[in-house]
């Protein structure tokens, strides 16, 4: 009998690498409370954030030479989650409990620390690799934001094109009543949307990104359950927006966004500009998604779909496979071409 798939089988970003230094860090992922710290090899450790003694939060304690000390009675845990010191027992090591704190798998990759809450032998997973991070010719600006909405609605928003002309009116795009054709494909637990014949709907970015109004390469991808990646190509220039959504609970999502670009000569110069504009665009989405979640809390997620929403219907179908404990990889491939106006 195979173990049913669970959202906990996937890897989620717990924090950025440079956030985890001399102090423990508390995080909540899928309702689980986690404390992070670095052991004496600087390896990121993730334990359940509760002391085995009387249940204090270890994250309120202190790091001690690669170990963590509970703030209540000072028990010290090593990177294995084993209690190695009980101050009130003096040096009576035989009094140390055999029980260990619950420990989660961690990986450090692309400047991020990932946690896996539950290993599934029938469904091995790996952290999503951020496209072109640290590659020659590419620069990355990283952003962190908290959305008061769930992972599904966040991920849908990050590859939703029709909202851009309203929520991001002028900054990002302007409405031209332009017809857009997209090939939408569901395969291998992802949804890939390839936009055809897009030219000049980038608002006032156009003068820089696409001065000659050449056809734009635009591919949006959703990787179930929690990652999206957007690629724009303008001749030799590239712009990638990769977002890792982390479910804190059913109503809150932490989002780690990498804006990765290859603008040639302008690369370094563009960084603060990209950061400022990227954050401005995200702030608009935070408002839109907060608005949406308030209504969902009141009336439920009663959605109607327009033509462009086939993208979201595919996303939801993959997500719901995981909710049902099934592997989204096994869902039938689908491919369709759609037209809509922005
Ligand atoms: S509760 Fe942690 S040492 Fe007592
Ligand atoms: Fe948006």
């Amino acid at each position: 009998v195979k173990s049913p798939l669970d959202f906990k089988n996937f890897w989620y970003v717990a924090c950025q690498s440079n956030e985890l230094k001399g102090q423990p860090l508390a995080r909540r992922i899928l309702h689980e409370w986690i404390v992070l710290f670095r052991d004496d090899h600087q390896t990121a450790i993730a334990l359940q954030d509760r002391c085995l003694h009387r249940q204090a939060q270890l994250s309120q304690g202190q790091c001690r030479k690669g170990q963590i000390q509970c703030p209540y009675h000072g028990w010290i845990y090593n990177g294995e989650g084993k209690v190695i010191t009980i101050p009130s027992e003096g040096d009576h090591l035989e009094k140390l409990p055999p029980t260990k704190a619950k420990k989660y798998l961690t990986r450090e990759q692309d400047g991020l620390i990932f946690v896996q809450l539950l290993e599934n032998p029938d469904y091995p997973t790996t952290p999503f690799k951020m496209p072109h991070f640290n590659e020659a010719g590419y620069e990355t600006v990283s952003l962190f934001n908290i959305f008061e909405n769930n992972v599904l609605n966040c991920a849908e928003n990050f590859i939703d094109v029709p909202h851009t002309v309203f929520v991001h009116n002028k900054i990002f795009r302007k409405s031209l009543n332009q017809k857009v054709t997209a090939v939408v494909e569901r395969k291998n637990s992802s949804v890939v949307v390839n936009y055809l014949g897009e030219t000049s709907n980038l608002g006032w970015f156009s003068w820089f990104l696409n001065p000659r109004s050449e056809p734009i390469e635009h591919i949006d991808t959703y990787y179930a359950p929690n990652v999206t990646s957007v690629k724009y190509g303008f001749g030799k220039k590239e712009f990638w927006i990769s977002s890792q959504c982390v479910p804190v609970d059913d109503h809150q999502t932490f989002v780690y966004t990498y804006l990765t670009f290859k603008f040639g000569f302008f690369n370094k110069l563009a960084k603060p500009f990209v950061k400022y504009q990227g954050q401005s665009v995200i702030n608009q989405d935070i408002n839109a998604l907060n608005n949406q979640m308030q209504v969902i809390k009141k009336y439920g997620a009663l959605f109607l779909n327009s033509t462009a929403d086939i993208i979201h219907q595919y996303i939801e179908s993959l997500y719901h496979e995981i909710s049902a404990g099934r592997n989204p990889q096994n869902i039938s491939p689908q491919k369709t071409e759609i037209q809509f106006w922005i």
Side-chain angles (χ1 to χ4, degrees):
V1 182
K2 289 198 165 192
S3 344
L5 191 57
D6 192 289
F7 286 109
K8 289 188 173 172
N9 300 151
F10 295 88
W11 291 83
Y12 299 102
V13 177
C15 64
Q16 297 174 9
S17 292
N18 58 18
E19 285 180 282
L20 195 56
K21 293 183 181 137
Q23 289 304 312
L25 218 59
R27 284 291 185 268
R28 294 181 183 185
I29 303 176
L30 286 168
H31 299 276
E32 206 57 66
W33 293 15
I34 298 157
V35 56
L36 295 145
F37 64 100
R38 288 189 189 274
D39 73 6
D40 42 4
H41 303 291
Q42 291 303 306
T43 304
I45 304 294
L47 304 177
Q48 198 170 58
D49 192 9
R50 64 183 186 92
C51 180
L52 296 170
H53 179 223
R54 286 294 182 277
Q55 303 278 329
Q57 292 169 53
L58 296 173
S59 57
Q60 308 277 318
Q62 297 290 326
C63 289
R64 302 248 178 260
K65 298 186 188 119
Q67 291 149 356
I68 187 166
Q69 182 163 40
C70 179
Y72 197 1
H73 312 91
W75 288 25
I76 296 178
Y77 296 76
N78 69 11
E80 293 305 312
K82 185 174 168 25
V83 179
I84 53 159
T85 303
I86 296 179
S88 64
E89 300 284 11
D91 50 13
H92 285 270
L93 296 178
E94 76 282 3
K95 301 274 188 179
L96 298 177
T99 327
K100 285 183 185 173
K102 187 167 175 48
K103 183 178 171 171
Y104 305 103
L105 291 177
T106 58
R107 299 243 185 111
E108 201 157 351
Q109 175 187 299
D110 301 334
L112 300 165
I113 293 171
F114 293 81
V115 171
Q116 188 193 42
L117 296 174
L118 186 65
E119 219 180 339
N120 188 336
D122 297 321
Y123 195 88
T125 54
T126 50
F128 178 79
K129 175 89 195 64
M130 289 299 219
H132 302 296
F133 180 73
N134 263 354
E135 276 178 33
Y138 291 86
E139 285 290 334
T140 292
V141 162
S142 82
L143 300 172
F144 168 73
N145 286 282
I146 298 174
F147 286 73
E148 302 302 328
N149 206 317
N150 59 39
V151 164
L152 189 54
N153 290 328
C154 288
E156 287 193 3
N157 170 266
F158 301 155
I159 62 167
D160 179 285
V161 169
H163 87 283
T164 55
V165 290
F166 292 94
V167 173
H168 312 301
N169 181 25
K170 295 199 180 72
I171 292 195
F172 183 44
R173 285 173 184 273
K174 60 183 176 202
S175 183
L176 295 172
N177 209 17
Q178 190 184 44
K179 184 172 152 185
V180 176
T181 303
V183 177
V184 190
E185 218 176 338
R186 180 181 74 188
K187 57 176 183 190
N188 302 327
S189 63
S190 61
V191 178
V192 184
V193 189
N194 201 335
Y195 290 91
L196 309 173
E198 257 185 288
T199 49
S200 59
N201 52 357
L202 291 161
W204 60 265
F205 282 106
S206 298
W207 66 267
F208 170 64
L209 289 173
N210 196 17
R212 270 163 287 166
S213 288
E214 290 167 301
I216 298 167
E217 181 191 7
H218 175 192
I219 301 170
D220 292 351
T221 312
Y222 164 75
Y223 301 89
N226 67 316
V227 177
T228 60
S229 174
V230 171
K231 180 197 179 181
Y232 288 105
F234 323 88
K236 284 199 177 91
K237 295 195 189 97
E238 285 176 33
F239 189 64
W240 294 74
I241 309 161
S242 305
S243 308
Q244 302 249 8
C245 299
V246 185
V248 174
D249 57 31
D250 301 335
H251 307 119
Q252 194 179 64
T253 303
F254 281 12
V255 180
Y256 297 82
T257 309
Y258 276 14
L259 306 170
T260 298
F261 47 93
K262 193 171 79 171
F263 292 161
F265 177 77
F266 297 101
N267 249 18
K268 288 269 193 288
L269 220 61
K271 259 182 124 167
F273 178 77
V274 168
K275 185 159 195 154
Y276 177 81
Q277 286 300 336
Q279 188 58 53
S280 308
V281 167
I282 289 176
N283 288 344
Q284 295 172 328
D285 285 324
I286 288 174
N287 282 336
L289 282 156
N290 186 347
N291 169 1
Q292 177 191 36
M293 195 58 189
Q294 288 179 43
V295 180
I296 289 175
K297 278 184 180 167
K298 168 77 179 152
Y299 289 108
L302 305 165
F303 294 167
L304 275 185
N305 294 308
S306 64
T307 302
D309 294 310
I310 188 73
I311 297 162
H312 302 328
Q313 290 171 273
Y314 282 174
I315 290 175
E316 287 157 20
S317 66
L318 294 174
Y319 196 88
H320 290 144
E321 283 300 292
I322 305 172
S323 305
R326 293 188 295 262
N327 185 345
Q329 206 95 33
N330 299 335
I331 198 167
S332 67
Q334 298 274 339
K335 189 174 180 173
T336 178
E337 190 176 304
I338 58 170
Q339 262 104 41
F340 59 94
W341 282 262
I342 57 170

